[in-house]
């Protein structure tokens, strides 16, 4: 039986990182997003971090207003971010844990211990018409808690797998199966590359991958549209 199509969300945070290195306006994430339509990118992911180290408020505002592709708005569950998200109304919000000192999002959200507050946050975002995803480690207890508090989507953190622990694919597979069994949509991401993406893309329940850093790195060699097209080709091939 043919598997459901798989979408590629392109994380543009590091376009802003390059821009911010010189403090000017170039390269501009919205201009890049517009240029990528037709490359195989199905959606745009941006993470407005508390310290605004890459994407800034004006980027988030412009990209959400453009709406040329669905926007997946990653954020920490803070009052400030909830206010911004409910005002900008992206297609989806992905709630991620955030620690100031981390280089990137190092682990999944602990939904189990934060059920009560996350339930309220999800309900507020749903009331604003925004689909909510929770970025979690592939742990059955976290998947069950995400379902219990009303998330529509979980995004499974693939970092441990990408960091060279191939046995992690079994945990990802089990978590993906449980996610759909509980009626949620399953996404995945973090640390994915041309060489490790196919085992994740082959998981039948996973219908979206969010990929950023590697694509921006490959873009230096082959250009961002080509890097996206190749990543999408590998994802599709993995599901044949
Ligand atoms: N998904 C989430 C929730 C993330 O926080 C990140 C990193 O910003 C990614 C996907 C993309 O990870 P990478 O940049 O390693 O591809």
């Amino acid at each position: 039986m043919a598997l459901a199509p798989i979408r590629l969300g392109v994380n543009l945070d590091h376009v802003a990182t390059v821009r911010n290195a010189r403090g000017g306006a170039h390269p501009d994430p919205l201009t890049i997003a517009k240029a990528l339509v037709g490359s195989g990118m199905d959606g745009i992911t941006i993470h407005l971090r508390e310290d605004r180290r890459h994407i800034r408020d004006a980027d988030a505002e412009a990209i959400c207003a453009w709406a040329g592709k669905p926007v997946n708005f990653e954020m920490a569950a803070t009052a400030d971010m909830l206010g911004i998200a409910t005002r900008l109304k992206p297609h989806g919000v992905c709630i991620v844990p955030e620690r100031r000192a981390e280089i990137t999002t190092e682990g999944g959200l602990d939904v189990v211990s934060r059920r009560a507050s996350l339930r309220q946050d999800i309900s507020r975002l749903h009331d604003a018409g925004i689909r909510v995803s929770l970025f979690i480690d592939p742990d059955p207890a976290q998947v069950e808690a995400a379902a219990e508090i009303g998330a529509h989507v979980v995004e499974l953190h693939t970092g441990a797998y990408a960091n060279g622990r191939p046995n992690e694919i079994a945990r990802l597979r089990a978590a993906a199966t449980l996610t759909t069994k509980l009626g949620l949509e399953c996404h995945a991401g973090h640390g994915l590359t041309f060489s490790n993406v196919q085992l994740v893309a082959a998981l039948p329940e996973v219908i979206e991958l969010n990929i950023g850093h590697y694509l921006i790195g490959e873009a230096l060699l082959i250009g961002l549209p080509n890097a996206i097209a190749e990543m999408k080709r590998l994802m599709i091939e993995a599901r044949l």
Side-chain angles (χ1 to χ4, degrees), residues 71-232:
V71 176
N72 174 37
F73 183 78
E74 294 178 358
M75 55 170 239
T78 64
D80 183 30
M81 286 298 156
L82 285 162
I84 293 171
T86 51
R87 185 169 58 77
L88 299 184
K89 295 200 188 335
H91 172 75
V93 156
C94 180
I95 301 181
V96 301
E98 206 174 290
R99 285 187 294 274
R100 271 197 177 242
E102 70 188 355
I103 293 170
T104 180
T105 314
E106 282 161 2
L109 196 61
D110 187 357
V111 185
V112 172
S113 69
R114 293 173 58 190
R115 273 174 228 252
S117 65
L118 286 170
R119 190 194 299 273
Q120 285 184 0
D121 299 339
I122 290 172
S123 151
R124 190 166 157 206
L125 291 162
H126 282 175
D127 288 348
I130 302 166
R131 189 195 67 180
V132 181
S133 167
L134 302 180
F135 188 46
I136 58 171
D137 290 324
D139 168 351
Q142 299 294 345
V143 177
E144 278 161 10
E148 188 198 312
I149 63 171
H152 278 160
V153 181
V154 299
E155 179 170 331
L156 300 175
H157 197 309
T158 53
Y161 159 73
N163 283 337
R165 286 196 262 151
N167 292 345
E168 283 288 319
I169 201 73
R171 285 183 78 210
L172 288 163
R173 182 178 298 112
T177 304
L178 180 61
T179 298
T180 49
K181 190 170 152 225
L182 296 175
L184 280 71
E185 198 171 298
C186 189
H187 301 178
H190 209 279
L192 296 176
T193 67
F194 289 159
S195 42
N196 67 20
V197 73
Q198 288 199 308
L199 284 184
V200 180
L203 299 174
E205 296 85 0
V206 173
I207 59 164
E208 180 173 310
L209 298 180
N210 286 300
I211 307 181
H213 185 265
Y214 182 81
L215 289 172
I216 302 297
E218 275 306 288
L220 299 174
L221 284 171
I222 59 172
L224 192 48
N226 290 332
I228 291 169
E230 174 61 3
M231 188 64 85
K232 189 70 177 293

